[in-house]
Amino acid sequence: AQTVTQSQPEMSVQEAETVTLSCTYDTSESDYYLFWYKQPPSRQMILVIRQEAYKQQNATENRFSVNFQKAAKSFSLKISDSQLGDAAMYFCAYRSAGGSQGNLIFGKGTKLSVKP
Amino acid sequence: DAGVIQSPRHEVTEMGQEVTLRCKLISGHNSLFWYRQTMMRGLELLIYFNNNVPIDDSGMPEDRFSAKMPNASFSTLKIQPSEPRDSAVYFCASSLRRGPHPEAFFGQGTRLTVV
């Protein structure tokens, strides 16, 4: 079974600085998707960024980018120019792309605080 | 599209009562997930449907929990009888199984309190 591990329960960053959140996963599959979701205090789950495993190029969405290392099974999220509105829980997630399975498995989350 | 719609947003019930949570999928989506979120256990996958068929229900805690998809756009999660330890936020999410956008879109959750 696939697992997703986020080793940083909490992180803190100064406004306008850069922070990197870590995520590792375990799978025997070669075709899958990886995601980062944001959950602010409103509790709404919001997609931040998506990466297809077959793509070597790291995904980027404005201030958010990932460092996808397939061999190391690592998928970190970098937030540049951090803003107060970035304060939230961040969840890393894995989803198989092939076969009949398609569970979306989440890590435990990292709570990000942004200091003004 | 209005997105994934869950009802009710909040539910307070007494131990032993039946609770039914409802979820309307985004039109055209064929995957449906039910999650439970607590501080202690994080975001737990309860059950996953694809094309209205339950694919993985290994996360359903026990026989008190049941989930159905009577049609392609609607799902229910039922707890009978409810217990205080069932108190949590329950999310449903829908997605396409494959394609350029396989990400799940979440509803706003139902906060369940069992007293």
Side-chain angles (χ1 to χ4, degrees):
Chain A
Q2 296 83 17
T3 58
V4 177
T5 302
Q6 294 180 249
S7 58
Q8 305 154 316
E10 295 187 22
M11 292 282 284
S12 180
V13 64
Q14 202 73 33
E15 194 176 6
E17 297 295 309
T18 295
V19 65
T20 298
L21 308 184
S22 301
C23 173
T24 58
Y25 57 95
D26 187 25
T27 184
S28 59
E29 299 173 332
S30 60
D31 194 14
Y32 49 87
Y33 309 102
L34 295 166
F35 308 93
W36 278 97
Y37 280 84
K38 170 185 177 181
Q39 187 180 38
S42 67
R43 88 178 181 221
Q44 179 67 47
M45 292 287 284
I46 303 165
L47 178 70
V48 174
I49 202 163
R50 174 185 67 247
Q51 176 80 44
E52 291 88 347
Y54 68 86
K55 291 186 177 178
Q56 293 186 341
Q57 187 172 8
N58 289 324
T60 300
E61 288 287 343
N62 301 314
R63 298 182 295 107
F64 298 87
S65 62
V66 298
N67 183 4
F68 173 47
Q69 302 287 329
K70 191 171 184 179
K73 297 180 183 175
S74 170
F75 183 61
S76 61
L77 175 70
K78 185 172 82 171
I79 306 174
S80 303
D81 185 25
S82 296
Q83 300 175 359
L84 295 177
D86 295 334
M89 283 290 290
Y90 285 82
F91 294 94
C92 179
Y94 170 102
R95 188 177 193 191
S96 172
S100 61
Q101 285 297 326
N103 292 352
L104 182 60
I105 307 298
F106 283 85
K108 295 290 188 186
T110 296
K111 183 177 182 180
L112 178 66
S113 301
V114 181
K115 298 179 180 178
Chain B
D1 200 315
V4 176
I5 299 174
Q6 289 187 247
S7 64
R9 291 291 308 278
H10 304 274
E11 176 81 27
V12 180
T13 190
E14 292 185 347
M15 182 174 63
Q17 296 298 306
E18 177 180 295
V19 176
T20 299
L21 310 182
R22 296 173 174 79
C23 176
K24 184 177 184 301
L25 286 68
I26 290 174
S27 178
H29 280 185
N30 55 4
S31 291
L32 183 279
F33 308 87
W34 280 102
Y35 291 91
R36 178 172 66 178
Q37 187 176 35
T38 60
M39 289 291 291
M40 291 296 293
R41 301 173 71 94
L43 201 58
E44 300 174 276
L45 177 65
L46 298 177
I47 188 168
Y48 160 58
F49 290 87
N50 195 47
N51 293 324
N52 302 2
V53 176
I55 302 299
D56 184 357
D57 64 355
S58 59
M60 294 288 265
E62 49 202 88
D63 292 344
R64 298 185 298 107
F65 285 67
S66 62
K68 294 182 180 179
M69 282 198 73
N71 57 57
S73 61
F74 185 73
S75 178
T76 59
L77 177 68
K78 186 177 293 186
I79 308 172
Q80 166 63 20
S82 58
E83 297 182 3
R85 60 190 169 125
D86 301 331
S87 297
V89 178
Y90 291 81
F91 288 99
C92 73
S94 73
S95 78
L96 293 169
R97 173 61 185 97
R98 291 183 176 83
H101 296 284
E103 62 268 19
F105 294 81
F106 281 74
Q108 292 192 298
T110 295
R111 181 176 293 280
L112 173 64
T113 303
V114 183
V115 298

